[in-house]
Amino acid sequence: MNKAITIFLILFSFAIQCQSQKEAYNWYFGNKAALDFHTGQAVSMDNSEMLAFNGCASISDSSGILLFYSNGEKVWNSNHLVMPNGMNLNGYNGATQSALIVPSPQINGTYYLFTIGMYLGSGDNLGCYYSMIDMNADNGLGDIVQDQKNVFLVESDSATDVIMAISHANHKAFWIIIRDFSSVNLFKSYLLDDEGLHQSPISSLCLKNLTPNASRGTSKVSPDGKYYLFGGQGGSPQNPRQNELYRFDNSTGILTPIFSFSPDAIALASTFGAEFSANSDFLYLSTSHITWPMIWHSSVRQFDLSKLNSVNEFETSHVILYDEIMEHGFKQMQIGPDGKIYIAQADITSSHYLSYINFPSEAGLACNFEKNSVELISGNCIDGLPTFIQSYFVKFNWHGNCFGDSTYFSSWFLPEPESIQWEFGDPGSGPDNLSNLLNPAHLFSGPGTFIVIATAFYPNGRTESYEREVLITSYPVFELGEDQSICQGDEVTLSSGVILAQCLWNTGATTPSITVYDQGEYWLQVENNNGCIYRDTINVFNFPFPALDSTSLIISPTTCGGSTGAIRGLAVTGTDPISVEWKDVDGNVIETDYDIYDLPVNNYFFYATDGNGCTNLLEQFEITDAGEILIDTVVFQPSYCGLNNGSITITAVNGLGDMLDYSIDNGTN
């Protein structure tokens, strides 16, 4: 047996991953507005060429160098020129989240640009599409791949306005989440992994049935992937709760409803922007509502996510951070690399400013809302801010979730702290439970869920603590068993017995078991939802084929249309005991001895069954009719000396050998 078992350690490019991920360091949005976060705070820029009334997206590489940005209709490169093939995308810049950019886990340097429309009174602008951008094209400035432009996302016919992305639990893949506003009202989660974009989405039921013309709103996923919010507009006294809160499972892509709620049941507020704090402790909404007599208010509110036991408890937990009389007030919200939550302002007197929430992880007014805190030196924000993969805004991340391997942590605090104190929530690891390294590694003492806390210390004396649940799982160990042998032409089922894991055989099959018919080496790779991979190999052999010895073979034809043919002299060697069968053309067994007689004209099949239970066809033989027996020569030798020593030798032309019967007395003897 040649059995190979290999544990595949998922080795990431840790030297790169330990650097702060800077994909969200350049923001392009609104009417030629832009921000740069490289200094640790938002700095306005004046180099944008984009007009985006609402939705837009931008992306940088991991070192923070701008790659491109889009409003869902066009895409601009880092020189702020429209890419050669970057026109006429199927998004609409008035949609809340008209564009979303996700790097391909499959092809380095390639990006998916998702675009989505908005309901405009007909179905012409519905649906989600994606275009592939190759950053190697156009001399490194990037361009849309011609035959991968405006590719329709399957089952997104009624999608409009909102699209979000979050990392998969394995930190390698992504979930793309849209809402289908058809009569079915489903969320669709599409997996994007190293095999590409899976066009068979995971569906989850929505809390409310909304038609496309009532779909205006926003959506957000918490940076840690725990929660999803759909914020709606246009509540009524009969149905004030237009906001929907869900739990999100970033292992399976399934959204589970928590409840619908209203920001302000009395004032019937509509939600225009939403964001979660980086630690998922709080939810923030920007809302508008009317007070008597027809006075518009715009507000920023905080909700406590620890109050999810009941909708009433959650609604009453909200704190109004700021409220002002203005019709076109606070709009889109987006967490930044620095952990602050930035808020677009559409009011004509303040649209060239952004407001922000300084400390979103603090409760109530301690979160420190500041109006007009960032001045835009160019353009204005109108209604929107760029949409990003929300995972970019956690305070730390990690790679390696498999028990027995080290887990590598990387700090994403911005600005970079003076020092960090790590507590891994693993007292079983003894003194290794603590670390002062900026980007430490930790070997967990066992599988399970661990609360890891990172406390950042800044030169001005400020500290910031952030915690995340880290799930450590065992490798999905299994065995395919001992090598197996089968008879040629037979089949065998190879089974792992694994459940709730992704399977991949070297045949391309993705089921826990397969049936094989040929000899060879077969391996199965199993990956659990935490990215831990295990592989086992099994060999399938064919039993040796019995050998036919035909050195003494005699085939005697039949004659004169009779049944006098015969096949004799065969021998078989192989695994004992060996039995043989002769079958006719209809598969009927006609003899079980090696020699077979009294055969008419036909084909005859010789089978052998060996001690392994394998039955194999060894050869096919044909009996022909020799016709009339013709005498070739007769040699006569007379007797002499009165003795019985005379002879007659007759040679027949058809070579019947010892099967000839003869008589010299007219058949008497």
Side-chain angles (χ1 to χ4, degrees), residues 543-567:
F543 285 117
F545 201 80
L548 177 65
D549 182 359
S550 58
T551 55
S552 300
L553 172 65
I554 301 174
I555 301 177
S556 299
T558 188
T559 58
C560 305
S563 299
T564 57
I567 305 172

PDB file of all heavy atoms in Angstrom, residues 543-567:
ATOM      1  N   PHE A 543      -7.075  -6.375  -9.789  1.00  0.00           N
ATOM      2  CA  PHE A 543      -6.506  -7.703  -9.569  1.00  0.00           C
ATOM      3  C   PHE A 543      -5.824  -8.170 -10.856  1.00  0.00           C
ATOM      4  O   PHE A 543      -6.262  -7.822 -11.965  1.00  0.00           O
ATOM      5  CB  PHE A 543      -7.602  -8.701  -9.181  1.00  0.00           C
ATOM      6  CG  PHE A 543      -8.099  -8.537  -7.769  1.00  0.00           C
ATOM      7  CD1 PHE A 543      -9.413  -8.185  -7.517  1.00  0.00           C
ATOM      8  CD2 PHE A 543      -7.245  -8.750  -6.691  1.00  0.00           C
ATOM      9  CE1 PHE A 543      -9.875  -8.040  -6.222  1.00  0.00           C
ATOM     10  CE2 PHE A 543      -7.705  -8.603  -5.389  1.00  0.00           C
ATOM     11  CZ  PHE A 543      -9.018  -8.251  -5.149  1.00  0.00           C
ATOM     12  N   PRO A 544      -4.754  -8.980 -10.726  1.00  0.00           N
ATOM     13  CA  PRO A 544      -4.072  -9.467 -11.937  1.00  0.00           C
ATOM     14  C   PRO A 544      -5.035 -10.217 -12.848  1.00  0.00           C
ATOM     15  O   PRO A 544      -5.882 -10.995 -12.387  1.00  0.00           O
ATOM     16  CB  PRO A 544      -2.980 -10.387 -11.392  1.00  0.00           C
ATOM     17  CG  PRO A 544      -2.773  -9.949  -9.975  1.00  0.00           C
ATOM     18  CD  PRO A 544      -4.107  -9.475  -9.495  1.00  0.00           C
ATOM     19  N   PHE A 545      -4.876  -9.984 -14.131  1.00  0.00           N
ATOM     20  CA  PHE A 545      -5.738 -10.625 -15.129  1.00  0.00           C
ATOM     21  C   PHE A 545      -5.261 -12.061 -15.337  1.00  0.00           C
ATOM     22  O   PHE A 545      -4.057 -12.302 -15.514  1.00  0.00           O
ATOM     23  CB  PHE A 545      -5.640  -9.847 -16.439  1.00  0.00           C
ATOM     24  CG  PHE A 545      -6.791 -10.050 -17.360  1.00  0.00           C
ATOM     25  CD1 PHE A 545      -7.984  -9.381 -17.170  1.00  0.00           C
ATOM     26  CD2 PHE A 545      -6.691 -10.919 -18.447  1.00  0.00           C
ATOM     27  CE1 PHE A 545      -9.050  -9.558 -18.033  1.00  0.00           C
ATOM     28  CE2 PHE A 545      -7.748 -11.103 -19.312  1.00  0.00           C
ATOM     29  CZ  PHE A 545      -8.934 -10.415 -19.103  1.00  0.00           C
ATOM     30  N   PRO A 546      -6.160 -13.065 -15.302  1.00  0.00           N
ATOM     31  CA  PRO A 546      -5.727 -14.449 -15.567  1.00  0.00           C
ATOM     32  C   PRO A 546      -5.071 -14.558 -16.947  1.00  0.00           C
ATOM     33  O   PRO A 546      -5.464 -13.883 -17.896  1.00  0.00           O
ATOM     34  CB  PRO A 546      -7.032 -15.250 -15.511  1.00  0.00           C
ATOM     35  CG  PRO A 546      -7.973 -14.394 -14.719  1.00  0.00           C
ATOM     36  CD  PRO A 546      -7.605 -12.982 -15.027  1.00  0.00           C
ATOM     37  N   ALA A 547      -4.052 -15.425 -17.028  1.00  0.00           N
ATOM     38  CA  ALA A 547      -3.301 -15.581 -18.281  1.00  0.00           C
ATOM     39  C   ALA A 547      -3.809 -16.815 -19.027  1.00  0.00           C
ATOM     40  O   ALA A 547      -3.961 -17.903 -18.455  1.00  0.00           O
ATOM     41  CB  ALA A 547      -1.816 -15.700 -18.007  1.00  0.00           C
ATOM     42  N   LEU A 548      -4.061 -16.662 -20.322  1.00  0.00           N
ATOM     43  CA  LEU A 548      -4.537 -17.759 -21.172  1.00  0.00           C
ATOM     44  C   LEU A 548      -3.348 -18.397 -21.882  1.00  0.00           C
ATOM     45  O   LEU A 548      -2.554 -17.706 -22.534  1.00  0.00           O
ATOM     46  CB  LEU A 548      -5.538 -17.221 -22.197  1.00  0.00           C
ATOM     47  CG  LEU A 548      -6.080 -18.228 -23.214  1.00  0.00           C
ATOM     48  CD1 LEU A 548      -6.911 -19.300 -22.516  1.00  0.00           C
ATOM     49  CD2 LEU A 548      -6.926 -17.515 -24.276  1.00  0.00           C
ATOM     50  N   ASP A 549      -3.221 -19.722 -21.743  1.00  0.00           N
ATOM     51  CA  ASP A 549      -2.171 -20.481 -22.438  1.00  0.00           C
ATOM     52  C   ASP A 549      -2.828 -21.240 -23.586  1.00  0.00           C
ATOM     53  O   ASP A 549      -3.629 -22.145 -23.372  1.00  0.00           O
ATOM     54  CB  ASP A 549      -1.505 -21.451 -21.455  1.00  0.00           C
ATOM     55  CG  ASP A 549      -0.367 -22.237 -22.099  1.00  0.00           C
ATOM     56  OD1 ASP A 549      -0.108 -22.036 -23.310  1.00  0.00           O
ATOM     57  OD2 ASP A 549       0.257 -23.046 -21.393  1.00  0.00           O
ATOM     58  N   SER A 550      -2.496 -20.848 -24.814  1.00  0.00           N
ATOM     59  CA  SER A 550      -3.121 -21.480 -25.988  1.00  0.00           C
ATOM     60  C   SER A 550      -2.100 -22.197 -26.862  1.00  0.00           C
ATOM     61  O   SER A 550      -2.337 -22.418 -28.046  1.00  0.00           O
ATOM     62  CB  SER A 550      -3.844 -20.407 -26.810  1.00  0.00           C
ATOM     63  OG  SER A 550      -2.935 -19.391 -27.207  1.00  0.00           O
ATOM     64  N   THR A 551      -0.977 -22.587 -26.230  1.00  0.00           N
ATOM     65  CA  THR A 551       0.061 -23.267 -27.039  1.00  0.00           C
ATOM     66  C   THR A 551      -0.410 -24.626 -27.542  1.00  0.00           C
ATOM     67  O   THR A 551       0.076 -25.118 -28.563  1.00  0.00           O
ATOM     68  CB  THR A 551       1.341 -23.424 -26.208  1.00  0.00           C
ATOM     69  OG1 THR A 551       1.042 -24.105 -24.975  1.00  0.00           O
ATOM     70  CG2 THR A 551       1.954 -22.068 -25.889  1.00  0.00           C
ATOM     71  N   SER A 552      -1.343 -25.263 -26.847  1.00  0.00           N
ATOM     72  CA  SER A 552      -1.840 -26.589 -27.270  1.00  0.00           C
ATOM     73  C   SER A 552      -3.241 -26.508 -27.867  1.00  0.00           C
ATOM     74  O   SER A 552      -3.960 -27.518 -27.960  1.00  0.00           O
ATOM     75  CB  SER A 552      -1.852 -27.557 -26.069  1.00  0.00           C
ATOM     76  OG  SER A 552      -0.553 -27.714 -25.521  1.00  0.00           O
ATOM     77  N   LEU A 553      -3.623 -25.312 -28.287  1.00  0.00           N
ATOM     78  CA  LEU A 553      -4.983 -25.114 -28.785  1.00  0.00           C
ATOM     79  C   LEU A 553      -5.218 -25.876 -30.090  1.00  0.00           C
ATOM     80  O   LEU A 553      -4.391 -25.838 -31.006  1.00  0.00           O
ATOM     81  CB  LEU A 553      -5.234 -23.620 -29.023  1.00  0.00           C
ATOM     82  CG  LEU A 553      -6.538 -23.241 -29.726  1.00  0.00           C
ATOM     83  CD1 LEU A 553      -7.743 -23.603 -28.864  1.00  0.00           C
ATOM     84  CD2 LEU A 553      -6.543 -21.754 -30.065  1.00  0.00           C
ATOM     85  N   ILE A 554      -6.354 -26.565 -30.146  1.00  0.00           N
ATOM     86  CA  ILE A 554      -6.824 -27.206 -31.384  1.00  0.00           C
ATOM     87  C   ILE A 554      -8.262 -26.764 -31.601  1.00  0.00           C
ATOM     88  O   ILE A 554      -9.120 -26.975 -30.746  1.00  0.00           O
ATOM     89  CB  ILE A 554      -6.766 -28.738 -31.310  1.00  0.00           C
ATOM     90  CG1 ILE A 554      -5.337 -29.215 -31.041  1.00  0.00           C
ATOM     91  CG2 ILE A 554      -7.305 -29.357 -32.610  1.00  0.00           C
ATOM     92  CD1 ILE A 554      -5.250 -30.720 -30.804  1.00  0.00           C
ATOM     93  N   ILE A 555      -8.516 -26.129 -32.739  1.00  0.00           N
ATOM     94  CA  ILE A 555      -9.876 -25.751 -33.109  1.00  0.00           C
ATOM     95  C   ILE A 555     -10.285 -26.631 -34.281  1.00  0.00           C
ATOM     96  O   ILE A 555      -9.681 -26.581 -35.360  1.00  0.00           O
ATOM     97  CB  ILE A 555      -9.961 -24.267 -33.509  1.00  0.00           C
ATOM     98  CG1 ILE A 555      -9.505 -23.365 -32.353  1.00  0.00           C
ATOM     99  CG2 ILE A 555     -11.387 -23.911 -33.920  1.00  0.00           C
ATOM    100  CD1 ILE A 555      -9.498 -21.895 -32.694  1.00  0.00           C
ATOM    101  N   SER A 556     -11.290 -27.418 -34.041  1.00  0.00           N
ATOM    102  CA  SER A 556     -11.767 -28.324 -35.081  1.00  0.00           C
ATOM    103  C   SER A 556     -13.085 -27.796 -35.629  1.00  0.00           C
ATOM    104  O   SER A 556     -14.051 -27.633 -34.878  1.00  0.00           O
ATOM    105  CB  SER A 556     -11.973 -29.735 -34.512  1.00  0.00           C
ATOM    106  OG  SER A 556     -10.749 -30.242 -34.011  1.00  0.00           O
ATOM    107  N   PRO A 557     -13.137 -27.523 -36.920  1.00  0.00           N
ATOM    108  CA  PRO A 557     -14.387 -27.013 -37.487  1.00  0.00           C
ATOM    109  C   PRO A 557     -15.441 -28.109 -37.588  1.00  0.00           C
ATOM    110  O   PRO A 557     -15.131 -29.297 -37.522  1.00  0.00           O
ATOM    111  CB  PRO A 557     -13.958 -26.513 -38.861  1.00  0.00           C
ATOM    112  CG  PRO A 557     -12.793 -27.368 -39.224  1.00  0.00           C
ATOM    113  CD  PRO A 557     -12.065 -27.667 -37.952  1.00  0.00           C
ATOM    114  N   THR A 558     -16.642 -27.698 -37.723  1.00  0.00           N
ATOM    115  CA  THR A 558     -17.690 -28.663 -38.024  1.00  0.00           C
ATOM    116  C   THR A 558     -17.703 -28.892 -39.527  1.00  0.00           C
ATOM    117  O   THR A 558     -17.034 -28.176 -40.290  1.00  0.00           O
ATOM    118  CB  THR A 558     -19.058 -28.156 -37.535  1.00  0.00           C
ATOM    119  OG1 THR A 558     -20.019 -29.209 -37.680  1.00  0.00           O
ATOM    120  CG2 THR A 558     -19.510 -26.941 -38.327  1.00  0.00           C
ATOM    121  N   THR A 559     -18.456 -29.901 -39.996  1.00  0.00           N
ATOM    122  CA  THR A 559     -18.517 -30.232 -41.429  1.00  0.00           C
ATOM    123  C   THR A 559     -19.952 -30.495 -41.834  1.00  0.00           C
ATOM    124  O   THR A 559     -20.805 -30.838 -41.009  1.00  0.00           O
ATOM    125  CB  THR A 559     -17.673 -31.474 -41.741  1.00  0.00           C
ATOM    126  OG1 THR A 559     -18.141 -32.567 -40.948  1.00  0.00           O
ATOM    127  CG2 THR A 559     -16.213 -31.218 -41.456  1.00  0.00           C
ATOM    128  N   CYS A 560     -20.168 -30.270 -43.102  1.00  0.00           N
ATOM    129  CA  CYS A 560     -21.443 -30.648 -43.728  1.00  0.00           C
ATOM    130  C   CYS A 560     -22.660 -30.065 -43.013  1.00  0.00           C
ATOM    131  O   CYS A 560     -23.720 -30.701 -42.908  1.00  0.00           O
ATOM    132  CB  CYS A 560     -21.575 -32.170 -43.809  1.00  0.00           C
ATOM    133  SG  CYS A 560     -20.193 -32.967 -44.658  1.00  0.00           S
ATOM    134  N   GLY A 561     -22.503 -28.820 -42.397  1.00  0.00           N
ATOM    135  CA  GLY A 561     -23.627 -28.175 -41.733  1.00  0.00           C
ATOM    136  C   GLY A 561     -24.023 -28.815 -40.430  1.00  0.00           C
ATOM    137  O   GLY A 561     -25.096 -28.530 -39.903  1.00  0.00           O
ATOM    138  N   GLY A 562     -23.139 -29.666 -39.874  1.00  0.00           N
ATOM    139  CA  GLY A 562     -23.476 -30.368 -38.652  1.00  0.00           C
ATOM    140  C   GLY A 562     -22.992 -29.655 -37.412  1.00  0.00           C
ATOM    141  O   GLY A 562     -22.706 -28.462 -37.420  1.00  0.00           O
ATOM    142  N   SER A 563     -22.872 -30.394 -36.323  1.00  0.00           N
ATOM    143  CA  SER A 563     -22.428 -29.872 -35.029  1.00  0.00           C
ATOM    144  C   SER A 563     -21.315 -30.762 -34.511  1.00  0.00           C
ATOM    145  O   SER A 563     -21.424 -31.410 -33.466  1.00  0.00           O
ATOM    146  CB  SER A 563     -23.578 -29.833 -34.027  1.00  0.00           C
ATOM    147  OG  SER A 563     -24.613 -28.989 -34.479  1.00  0.00           O
ATOM    148  N   THR A 564     -20.245 -30.780 -35.234  1.00  0.00           N
ATOM    149  CA  THR A 564     -19.136 -31.664 -34.874  1.00  0.00           C
ATOM    150  C   THR A 564     -17.859 -30.888 -34.581  1.00  0.00           C
ATOM    151  O   THR A 564     -16.791 -31.469 -34.478  1.00  0.00           O
ATOM    152  CB  THR A 564     -18.867 -32.663 -36.013  1.00  0.00           C
ATOM    153  OG1 THR A 564     -18.595 -31.926 -37.222  1.00  0.00           O
ATOM    154  CG2 THR A 564     -20.060 -33.568 -36.237  1.00  0.00           C
ATOM    155  N   GLY A 565     -17.959 -29.526 -34.422  1.00  0.00           N
ATOM    156  CA  GLY A 565     -16.776 -28.734 -34.116  1.00  0.00           C
ATOM    157  C   GLY A 565     -16.344 -28.912 -32.669  1.00  0.00           C
ATOM    158  O   GLY A 565     -17.100 -29.388 -31.822  1.00  0.00           O
ATOM    159  N   ALA A 566     -15.104 -28.515 -32.400  1.00  0.00           N
ATOM    160  CA  ALA A 566     -14.571 -28.651 -31.048  1.00  0.00           C
ATOM    161  C   ALA A 566     -13.461 -27.629 -30.836  1.00  0.00           C
ATOM    162  O   ALA A 566     -12.806 -27.196 -31.785  1.00  0.00           O
ATOM    163  CB  ALA A 566     -14.061 -30.056 -30.806  1.00  0.00           C
ATOM    164  N   ILE A 567     -13.283 -27.251 -29.541  1.00  0.00           N
ATOM    165  CA  ILE A 567     -12.179 -26.372 -29.137  1.00  0.00           C
ATOM    166  C   ILE A 567     -11.526 -27.053 -27.950  1.00  0.00           C
ATOM    167  O   ILE A 567     -12.165 -27.291 -26.919  1.00  0.00           O
ATOM    168  CB  ILE A 567     -12.678 -24.965 -28.749  1.00  0.00           C
ATOM    169  CG1 ILE A 567     -13.509 -24.341 -29.878  1.00  0.00           C
ATOM    170  CG2 ILE A 567     -11.495 -24.055 -28.402  1.00  0.00           C
ATOM    171  CD1 ILE A 567     -14.198 -23.046 -29.492  1.00  0.00           C
TER     172      ILE A 567
END
